[in-house]
Amino acid sequence: PTAIMSSSSSSLPPQLILTQDELKKIAAYKAVEFVESNMVLGLGTGSTAKHAIDRIGELLKQGKLTNIIGIPTSTKTHEQALSLNIPLSDIDTHPVLDLAIDGADEVDPDMNLVKGRGGSLLREKMIEGCCKKFVVIVDESKLVDYVGGSGLALPVEVVPFCWKFTANKLEELFCDAGCVAKLRINADGNKNAPYVTDNGNYIIDLYFKKDIGDLKAAGDAMLRFAGVVEHGMFIDMATTLIVASEMGVTVRHK
Ligand code: ABF
């Protein structure tokens, strides 16, 4: 098990009943406390990360942060950051980032993550793999005992070419875990059109009846299929976890 080097928590007034979005915002604002002027920052994607990016934009506008360079993990985040006048770059130009802040779909006790249910995962993994510190921000609903075991999707980005072949290979690989592989369909627009990622790929969502055993071995096995671009398990990448709940906000460092 991962050694948790330190943790801290602070309480919220007990009478408050907070929405899930308010909890996401609390976690996001806490993470932005780790941001300092002159940092190169990975900017995450999703409704939790959005709050952090808004806050960074606000602090830049107020002059409380200066000389920040943001590296967006999706086209959506790129647009949000542009609208907030956050200076942007990429990992071609800045291959080492000081810090990244992003949400997650699931977090296990060792800070392993499932990501990509919102559609982003490849750029997130490329960028967050270059960070000295990777701060994950969640409300407590994202905490699980075992990633991929929640009955919810484990997303896998695949090339569109013969995606059914790749989906079948993934089902076969995890047949002992009762895997069902489904092509993600566009949420809006044409109901029968596949969801297309920022990179022009498709997403296959894997659903398991049982756990898949060793996460790293499972991830490596998926990557051996030529049609698989990347999977949504982020193993041993997070360095800090911020969890907001009705009880308060907790910060854990690895
Ligand atoms: C993105 O945000 C995705 O990897 C993940 O699916 C999602 C979490 O979204 P939210 O913060 O909206 O719950 O980083």
Side-chain angles (χ1 to χ4, degrees):
T2 306
I4 303 302
M5 301 300 287
S6 62
S7 71
S8 63
S9 61
S10 49
S11 302
L12 296 170
Q15 73 277 15
L16 287 181
I17 296 179
L18 298 166
T19 64
Q20 190 180 22
D21 193 55
E22 286 166 333
L23 293 174
K24 289 177 179 186
K25 189 170 179 177
I26 288 168
Y29 275 44
K30 188 74 188 170
V32 177
E33 291 178 14
F34 290 91
V35 177
E36 294 168 13
S37 293
N38 307 310
M39 279 187 164
V40 180
L41 284 182
L43 305 175
T45 298
S47 56
T48 317
K50 182 178 180 299
H51 289 301
I53 298 161
D54 280 339
R55 180 70 176 148
I56 291 164
E58 185 178 58
L59 293 173
L60 277 169
K61 194 172 171 189
Q62 293 169 353
K64 292 180 182 163
L65 281 177
T66 54
N67 195 30
I68 292 292
I69 295 172
I71 315 259
T73 56
S74 64
T75 52
K76 197 166 180 191
T77 294
H78 189 275
E79 284 164 21
Q80 185 199 356
L82 273 186
S83 75
L84 294 165
N85 298 315
I86 300 175
L88 297 178
S89 186
D90 56 38
I91 52 174
D92 283 341
T93 313
H94 291 92
V96 180
L97 283 67
D98 296 295
L99 181 80
I101 301 173
D102 202 355
D105 300 306
E106 295 181 12
V107 186
D108 81 5
D110 290 335
M111 293 192 202
N112 296 314
L113 318 172
V114 167
K115 288 170 62 55
R117 282 193 203 132
S120 307
L121 69 91
L122 176 58
R123 294 186 190 189
E124 290 178 349
K125 198 176 274 192
M126 289 179 74
I127 291 165
E128 288 151 11
C130 298
C131 296
K132 293 180 192 161
K133 287 184 185 164
F134 175 24
V135 181
V136 175
I137 47 177
V138 292
D139 66 88
E140 63 178 342
S141 71
K142 306 289 184 63
L143 301 181
V144 298
D145 290 333
Y146 185 89
V147 296
S150 62
L152 298 172
L154 170 60
V156 183
E157 185 157 342
V158 303
V159 294
F161 175 75
C162 287
W163 64 267
K164 278 186 197 164
F165 173 85
T166 305
N168 290 339
K169 287 286 179 193
L170 290 166
E171 278 191 354
E172 276 169 30
L173 175 66
F174 296 120
C175 62
D176 288 349
C179 178
V180 175
K182 289 188 183 165
L183 178 69
R184 190 174 302 180
I185 300 301
N186 218 337
D188 37 50
N190 181 348
K191 282 194 186 131
N192 294 318
Y195 175 87
V196 179
T197 70
D198 281 345
N199 318 296
N201 295 316
Y202 290 172
I203 289 188
I204 303 285
D205 286 312
L206 302 182
Y207 297 87
F208 303 103
K209 293 199 174 64
K210 298 184 205 154
D211 74 48
I212 52 173
D214 183 90
L215 299 178
K216 179 147 189 343
D220 289 348
M222 284 191 263
L223 293 175
R224 282 198 285 274
F225 295 131
V228 169
V229 179
E230 191 50 82
H231 61 78
M233 287 190 291
F234 285 46
I235 300 161
D236 209 17
M237 288 179 66
T239 60
T240 302
L241 173 64
I242 300 182
V243 182
S245 74
E246 287 290 339
M247 304 302 291
V249 60
T250 307
V251 181
R252 282 171 49 196
H253 301 284
K254 256 189 182 177

